[in-house]
mmCIF file of all heavy atoms in Angstrom:
data_model
loop_
_atom_site.group_PDB
_atom_site.id
_atom_site.type_symbol
_atom_site.label_atom_id
_atom_site.label_comp_id
_atom_site.label_asym_id
_atom_site.label_seq_id
_atom_site.Cartn_x
_atom_site.Cartn_y
_atom_site.Cartn_z
ATOM 1 N N MET D 29 0.818 -1.211 0.000
ATOM 2 C CA MET D 29 0.000 0.000 0.000
ATOM 3 C C MET D 29 0.856 1.267 0.000
ATOM 4 O O MET D 29 0.370 2.333 -0.337
ATOM 5 C CB MET D 29 -0.959 0.003 1.194
ATOM 6 C CG MET D 29 -2.034 -1.041 1.057
ATOM 7 S SD MET D 29 -3.377 -0.954 2.259
ATOM 8 C CE MET D 29 -2.678 -0.322 3.732
ATOM 9 N N ALA D 30 2.138 1.168 0.344
ATOM 10 C CA ALA D 30 3.027 2.329 0.322
ATOM 11 C C ALA D 30 3.605 2.587 -1.060
ATOM 12 O O ALA D 30 4.110 3.672 -1.337
ATOM 13 C CB ALA D 30 4.161 2.139 1.331
ATOM 14 N N ASP D 31 3.526 1.606 -1.971
ATOM 15 C CA ASP D 31 4.078 1.748 -3.320
ATOM 16 C C ASP D 31 3.099 2.482 -4.224
ATOM 17 O O ASP D 31 1.879 2.350 -4.085
ATOM 18 C CB ASP D 31 4.358 0.366 -3.932
ATOM 19 C CG ASP D 31 5.423 -0.396 -3.168
ATOM 20 O OD1 ASP D 31 6.381 0.235 -2.690
ATOM 21 O OD2 ASP D 31 5.277 -1.634 -3.053
ATOM 22 N N VAL D 32 3.645 3.225 -5.180
ATOM 23 C CA VAL D 32 2.792 3.830 -6.200
ATOM 24 C C VAL D 32 2.069 2.703 -6.925
ATOM 25 O O VAL D 32 2.675 1.712 -7.313
ATOM 26 C CB VAL D 32 3.631 4.670 -7.190
ATOM 27 C CG1 VAL D 32 2.774 5.157 -8.343
ATOM 28 C CG2 VAL D 32 4.284 5.841 -6.466
ATOM 29 N N GLY D 33 0.776 2.820 -7.057
ATOM 30 C CA GLY D 33 -0.031 1.754 -7.642
ATOM 31 C C GLY D 33 -0.495 0.739 -6.614
ATOM 32 O O GLY D 33 -1.267 -0.153 -6.941
ATOM 33 N N GLY D 34 -0.039 0.881 -5.382
ATOM 34 C CA GLY D 34 -0.488 -0.015 -4.319
ATOM 35 C C GLY D 34 -1.965 0.227 -4.033
ATOM 36 O O GLY D 34 -2.494 1.303 -4.279
ATOM 37 N N GLN D 35 -2.612 -0.782 -3.526
ATOM 38 C CA GLN D 35 -4.046 -0.680 -3.268
ATOM 39 C C GLN D 35 -4.434 -1.728 -2.245
ATOM 40 O O GLN D 35 -3.620 -2.546 -1.859
ATOM 41 C CB GLN D 35 -4.851 -0.885 -4.553
ATOM 42 C CG GLN D 35 -5.027 -2.319 -4.998
ATOM 43 C CD GLN D 35 -3.781 -3.062 -5.420
ATOM 44 O OE1 GLN D 35 -2.953 -2.477 -6.093
ATOM 45 N NE2 GLN D 35 -3.636 -4.305 -5.037
ATOM 46 N N HIS D 36 -5.669 -1.663 -1.833
ATOM 47 C CA HIS D 36 -6.241 -2.758 -1.062
ATOM 48 C C HIS D 36 -7.731 -2.775 -1.341
ATOM 49 O O HIS D 36 -8.299 -1.802 -1.818
ATOM 50 C CB HIS D 36 -5.936 -2.648 0.436
ATOM 51 C CG HIS D 36 -6.741 -1.634 1.163
ATOM 52 N ND1 HIS D 36 -6.435 -0.290 1.149
ATOM 53 C CD2 HIS D 36 -7.843 -1.758 1.934
ATOM 54 C CE1 HIS D 36 -7.314 0.369 1.880
ATOM 55 N NE2 HIS D 36 -8.193 -0.492 2.370
ATOM 56 N N LEU D 37 -8.332 -3.885 -1.053
ATOM 57 C CA LEU D 37 -9.754 -4.077 -1.261
ATOM 58 C C LEU D 37 -10.353 -4.459 0.072
ATOM 59 O O LEU D 37 -9.852 -5.363 0.735
ATOM 60 C CB LEU D 37 -9.965 -5.195 -2.295
ATOM 61 C CG LEU D 37 -11.385 -5.542 -2.682
ATOM 62 C CD1 LEU D 37 -12.051 -4.362 -3.369
ATOM 63 C CD2 LEU D 37 -11.394 -6.753 -3.589
ATOM 64 N N ALA D 38 -11.401 -3.752 0.507
ATOM 65 C CA ALA D 38 -11.999 -3.997 1.814
ATOM 66 C C ALA D 38 -13.338 -4.707 1.656
ATOM 67 O O ALA D 38 -14.161 -4.316 0.839
ATOM 68 C CB ALA D 38 -12.195 -2.678 2.562
ATOM 69 N N PHE D 39 -13.533 -5.736 2.469
ATOM 70 C CA PHE D 39 -14.773 -6.500 2.495
ATOM 71 C C PHE D 39 -15.505 -6.198 3.795
ATOM 72 O O PHE D 39 -14.944 -6.371 4.875
ATOM 73 C CB PHE D 39 -14.492 -8.005 2.419
ATOM 74 C CG PHE D 39 -13.817 -8.428 1.147
ATOM 75 C CD1 PHE D 39 -12.447 -8.570 1.094
ATOM 76 C CD2 PHE D 39 -14.561 -8.681 0.009
ATOM 77 C CE1 PHE D 39 -11.817 -8.961 -0.068
ATOM 78 C CE2 PHE D 39 -13.947 -9.074 -1.161
ATOM 79 C CZ PHE D 39 -12.573 -9.215 -1.200
ATOM 80 N N TYR D 40 -16.759 -5.777 3.692
ATOM 81 C CA TYR D 40 -17.558 -5.541 4.879
ATOM 82 C C TYR D 40 -18.079 -6.875 5.391
ATOM 83 O O TYR D 40 -18.567 -7.700 4.612
ATOM 84 C CB TYR D 40 -18.748 -4.619 4.593
ATOM 85 C CG TYR D 40 -19.535 -4.346 5.855
ATOM 86 C CD1 TYR D 40 -19.157 -3.333 6.709
ATOM 87 C CD2 TYR D 40 -20.592 -5.170 6.224
ATOM 88 C CE1 TYR D 40 -19.837 -3.119 7.898
ATOM 89 C CE2 TYR D 40 -21.275 -4.975 7.411
ATOM 90 C CZ TYR D 40 -20.891 -3.947 8.247
ATOM 91 O OH TYR D 40 -21.549 -3.751 9.430
ATOM 92 N N VAL D 41 -17.993 -7.078 6.712
ATOM 93 C CA VAL D 41 -18.537 -8.275 7.351
ATOM 94 C C VAL D 41 -19.354 -7.857 8.562
ATOM 95 O O VAL D 41 -19.072 -6.837 9.194
ATOM 96 C CB VAL D 41 -17.430 -9.274 7.766
ATOM 97 C CG1 VAL D 41 -16.723 -9.846 6.536
ATOM 98 C CG2 VAL D 41 -16.422 -8.646 8.716
ATOM 99 N N ASP D 42 -20.367 -8.645 8.885
ATOM 100 C CA ASP D 42 -21.195 -8.350 10.060
ATOM 101 C C ASP D 42 -20.471 -8.668 11.362
ATOM 102 O O ASP D 42 -20.627 -7.956 12.352
ATOM 103 C CB ASP D 42 -22.508 -9.138 9.999
ATOM 104 C CG ASP D 42 -23.404 -8.667 8.865
ATOM 105 O OD1 ASP D 42 -23.406 -7.458 8.562
ATOM 106 O OD2 ASP D 42 -24.111 -9.518 8.289
ATOM 107 N N ASP D 43 -19.692 -9.751 11.364
ATOM 108 C CA ASP D 43 -19.015 -10.204 12.580
ATOM 109 C C ASP D 43 -17.540 -10.399 12.249
ATOM 110 O O ASP D 43 -17.148 -11.421 11.673
ATOM 111 C CB ASP D 43 -19.654 -11.507 13.064
ATOM 112 C CG ASP D 43 -19.057 -12.031 14.351
ATOM 113 O OD1 ASP D 43 -17.888 -11.702 14.681
ATOM 114 O OD2 ASP D 43 -19.762 -12.797 15.035
ATOM 115 N N ILE D 44 -16.731 -9.429 12.608
ATOM 116 C CA ILE D 44 -15.318 -9.466 12.220
ATOM 117 C C ILE D 44 -14.566 -10.608 12.901
ATOM 118 O O ILE D 44 -13.691 -11.221 12.302
ATOM 119 C CB ILE D 44 -14.638 -8.097 12.454
ATOM 120 C CG1 ILE D 44 -13.352 -8.016 11.631
ATOM 121 C CG2 ILE D 44 -14.432 -7.810 13.926
ATOM 122 C CD1 ILE D 44 -12.831 -6.616 11.436
ATOM 123 N N ASP D 45 -14.930 -10.948 14.145
ATOM 124 C CA ASP D 45 -14.259 -12.054 14.832
ATOM 125 C C ASP D 45 -14.525 -13.376 14.129
ATOM 126 O O ASP D 45 -13.607 -14.183 13.930
ATOM 127 C CB ASP D 45 -14.701 -12.123 16.296
ATOM 128 C CG ASP D 45 -14.247 -10.894 17.090
ATOM 129 O OD1 ASP D 45 -13.116 -10.426 16.866
ATOM 130 O OD2 ASP D 45 -15.037 -10.417 17.914
ATOM 131 N N ALA D 46 -15.756 -13.606 13.727
ATOM 132 C CA ALA D 46 -16.094 -14.831 13.003
ATOM 133 C C ALA D 46 -15.396 -14.868 11.644
ATOM 134 O O ALA D 46 -14.924 -15.925 11.206
ATOM 135 C CB ALA D 46 -17.606 -14.954 12.831
ATOM 136 N N ALA D 47 -15.302 -13.715 10.980
ATOM 137 C CA ALA D 47 -14.648 -13.659 9.670
ATOM 138 C C ALA D 47 -13.147 -13.928 9.791
ATOM 139 O O ALA D 47 -12.572 -14.659 8.981
ATOM 140 C CB ALA D 47 -14.907 -12.310 9.009
ATOM 141 N N VAL D 48 -12.500 -13.367 10.807
ATOM 142 C CA VAL D 48 -11.074 -13.624 11.029
ATOM 143 C C VAL D 48 -10.857 -15.105 11.325
ATOM 144 O O VAL D 48 -9.936 -15.733 10.784
ATOM 145 C CB VAL D 48 -10.517 -12.735 12.164
ATOM 146 C CG1 VAL D 48 -9.133 -13.207 12.607
ATOM 147 C CG2 VAL D 48 -10.472 -11.276 11.713
ATOM 148 N N ALA D 49 -11.691 -15.690 12.172
ATOM 149 C CA ALA D 49 -11.569 -17.124 12.483
ATOM 150 C C ALA D 49 -11.716 -17.960 11.218
ATOM 151 O O ALA D 49 -10.986 -18.950 11.021
ATOM 152 C CB ALA D 49 -12.608 -17.527 13.528
ATOM 153 N N HIS D 50 -12.633 -17.583 10.335
ATOM 154 C CA HIS D 50 -12.824 -18.283 9.064
ATOM 155 C C HIS D 50 -11.558 -18.211 8.215
ATOM 156 O O HIS D 50 -11.107 -19.226 7.657
ATOM 157 C CB HIS D 50 -14.017 -17.671 8.323
ATOM 158 C CG HIS D 50 -14.210 -18.198 6.943
ATOM 159 N ND1 HIS D 50 -14.873 -19.371 6.681
ATOM 160 C CD2 HIS D 50 -13.817 -17.698 5.739
ATOM 161 C CE1 HIS D 50 -14.889 -19.587 5.380
ATOM 162 N NE2 HIS D 50 -14.257 -18.592 4.781
ATOM 163 N N LEU D 51 -10.973 -17.011 8.103
ATOM 164 C CA LEU D 51 -9.736 -16.861 7.333
ATOM 165 C C LEU D 51 -8.632 -17.730 7.922
ATOM 166 O O LEU D 51 -7.909 -18.409 7.183
ATOM 167 C CB LEU D 51 -9.292 -15.399 7.308
ATOM 168 C CG LEU D 51 -10.181 -14.420 6.553
ATOM 169 C CD1 LEU D 51 -9.639 -13.005 6.687
ATOM 170 C CD2 LEU D 51 -10.327 -14.810 5.088
ATOM 171 N N GLU D 52 -8.506 -17.713 9.228
ATOM 172 C CA GLU D 52 -7.454 -18.494 9.874
ATOM 173 C C GLU D 52 -7.662 -19.990 9.666
ATOM 174 O O GLU D 52 -6.690 -20.729 9.482
ATOM 175 C CB GLU D 52 -7.376 -18.137 11.360
ATOM 176 C CG GLU D 52 -6.822 -16.732 11.564
ATOM 177 C CD GLU D 52 -6.882 -16.239 13.003
ATOM 178 O OE1 GLU D 52 -7.673 -16.800 13.811
ATOM 179 O OE2 GLU D 52 -6.158 -15.273 13.314
ATOM 180 N N ARG D 53 -8.904 -20.455 9.650
ATOM 181 C CA ARG D 53 -9.176 -21.885 9.373
ATOM 182 C C ARG D 53 -8.762 -22.262 7.955
ATOM 183 O O ARG D 53 -8.485 -23.424 7.663
ATOM 184 C CB ARG D 53 -10.658 -22.199 9.576
ATOM 185 C CG ARG D 53 -11.060 -22.396 11.016
ATOM 186 C CD ARG D 53 -12.443 -23.011 11.159
ATOM 187 N NE ARG D 53 -13.496 -22.288 10.467
ATOM 188 C CZ ARG D 53 -14.154 -21.223 10.955
ATOM 189 N NH1 ARG D 53 -13.860 -20.759 12.154
ATOM 190 N NH2 ARG D 53 -15.095 -20.649 10.259
ATOM 191 N N HIS D 54 -8.730 -21.264 7.067
ATOM 192 C CA HIS D 54 -8.312 -21.504 5.687
ATOM 193 C C HIS D 54 -6.842 -21.134 5.459
ATOM 194 O O HIS D 54 -6.412 -20.962 4.317
ATOM 195 C CB HIS D 54 -9.210 -20.718 4.724
ATOM 196 C CG HIS D 54 -10.557 -21.333 4.566
ATOM 197 N ND1 HIS D 54 -11.610 -21.055 5.405
ATOM 198 C CD2 HIS D 54 -11.023 -22.245 3.678
ATOM 199 C CE1 HIS D 54 -12.670 -21.746 5.038
ATOM 200 N NE2 HIS D 54 -12.337 -22.486 3.995
ATOM 201 N N ASP D 55 -6.099 -21.002 6.557
ATOM 202 C CA ASP D 55 -4.655 -20.709 6.495
ATOM 203 C C ASP D 55 -4.330 -19.413 5.760
ATOM 204 O O ASP D 55 -3.287 -19.288 5.115
ATOM 205 C CB ASP D 55 -3.875 -21.876 5.869
ATOM 206 C CG ASP D 55 -3.982 -23.137 6.707
ATOM 207 O OD1 ASP D 55 -3.943 -23.019 7.945
ATOM 208 O OD2 ASP D 55 -4.128 -24.223 6.116
ATOM 209 N N VAL D 56 -5.216 -18.439 5.860
ATOM 210 C CA VAL D 56 -4.979 -17.121 5.280
ATOM 211 C C VAL D 56 -4.154 -16.311 6.265
ATOM 212 O O VAL D 56 -4.409 -16.335 7.480
ATOM 213 C CB VAL D 56 -6.315 -16.411 4.975
ATOM 214 C CG1 VAL D 56 -6.097 -14.979 4.525
ATOM 215 C CG2 VAL D 56 -7.088 -17.199 3.918
ATOM 216 N N ARG D 57 -3.164 -15.612 5.766
ATOM 217 C CA ARG D 57 -2.313 -14.785 6.635
ATOM 218 C C ARG D 57 -3.047 -13.506 7.031
ATOM 219 O O ARG D 57 -3.256 -12.613 6.202
ATOM 220 C CB ARG D 57 -1.003 -14.449 5.943
ATOM 221 C CG ARG D 57 -0.071 -13.669 6.833
ATOM 222 C CD ARG D 57 1.289 -13.465 6.221
ATOM 223 N NE ARG D 57 2.022 -12.497 7.010
ATOM 224 C CZ ARG D 57 2.939 -11.700 6.526
ATOM 225 N NH1 ARG D 57 3.262 -11.756 5.254
ATOM 226 N NH2 ARG D 57 3.543 -10.839 7.304
ATOM 227 N N VAL D 58 -3.441 -13.425 8.285
ATOM 228 C CA VAL D 58 -4.082 -12.239 8.844
ATOM 229 C C VAL D 58 -2.976 -11.395 9.467
ATOM 230 O O VAL D 58 -2.138 -11.916 10.217
ATOM 231 C CB VAL D 58 -5.153 -12.619 9.893
ATOM 232 C CG1 VAL D 58 -5.774 -11.383 10.515
ATOM 233 C CG2 VAL D 58 -6.224 -13.498 9.231
ATOM 234 N N LEU D 59 -2.960 -10.108 9.164
ATOM 235 C CA LEU D 59 -1.894 -9.216 9.617
ATOM 236 C C LEU D 59 -2.256 -8.605 10.971
ATOM 237 O O LEU D 59 -2.941 -7.595 11.052
ATOM 238 C CB LEU D 59 -1.634 -8.119 8.583
ATOM 239 C CG LEU D 59 -1.299 -8.619 7.177
ATOM 240 C CD1 LEU D 59 -1.138 -7.463 6.211
ATOM 241 C CD2 LEU D 59 -0.042 -9.482 7.202
#
């Protein structure tokens, strides 16, 4: 995101704790 052309895409979720747990169950790197 600090590079020119850097970006991010944000997903709205109703329950952020449940969404983070879901990502972690799928071995997604949460920062």
Side-chain angles (χ1 to χ4, degrees):
M29 291 190 328
D31 296 323
V32 173
Q35 79 294 319
H36 76 279
L37 181 64
F39 297 96
Y40 182 85
V41 294
D42 293 325
D43 182 336
I44 199 162
D45 294 321
V48 167
H50 173 83
L51 293 177
E52 290 173 341
R53 280 193 305 276
H54 285 87
D55 297 321
V56 173
R57 183 173 169 209
V58 178
L59 304 177

